[in-house]
């Protein structure tokens, strides 16, 4: 998140959504964190404050080629891994 945005406070009203309470995220925060529909947000309470973090999606961060290389390595050396597991 940009330092510029961090200095500006915004107020949002808490609304009822089914059995839950909801608060809309300001567009500047959505854009700053690249939040998309379906993303997961982690909630934490620290020092009487709610801390929200966009949950990192490891699948988007991991190189597909690297995953394929790892899978091939495990496949090639499966016998060795099985013996190590039984030790």
């Amino acid at each position: 998140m940009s330092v510029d945005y961090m200095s500006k406070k915004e107020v949002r009203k808490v609304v009822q959504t089914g059995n839950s309470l909801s608060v809309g995220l300001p567009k500047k925060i959505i854009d700053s964190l690249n939040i998309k529909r379906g993303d997961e947000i982690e909630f934490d309470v620290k020092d009487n404050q709610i801390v929200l973090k966009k949950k990192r999606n490891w699948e988007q961060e991991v190189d597909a080629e690297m995953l394929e290389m790892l899978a091939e390595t495990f496949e090639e050396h499966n016998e060795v891994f099985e013996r190590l597991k039984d030790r």
Side-chain angles (χ1 to χ4, degrees), residues 1 25 29 33 35 39-44 46 50-56:
M1 184 181 295
L25 298 174
I29 291 177
L33 296 177
I35 296 172
D39 285 348
E40 294 182 328
I41 305 294
E42 295 178 348
F43 291 78
D44 196 7
K46 291 185 179 173
I50 300 171
V51 178
L52 305 176
K53 293 181 190 176
K54 179 180 175 184
K55 188 172 179 185
R56 296 175 66 170

Side-chain angles (χ1 to χ4, degrees), residues 19-21 23-24 30 32-33 40 43-44 46 49 52 54 60-62 64 71-72 74 78 81 83:
N19 290 328
S20 299
L21 297 177
V23 177
I30 292 168
S32 178
L33 296 177
E40 294 182 328
F43 291 78
D44 196 7
K46 291 185 179 173
Q49 295 183 348
L52 305 176
K54 179 180 175 184
Q60 292 174 345
E61 296 177 19
V62 175
E72 288 173 5
F74 281 115
N78 186 47
F81 293 131
R83 282 185 287 176

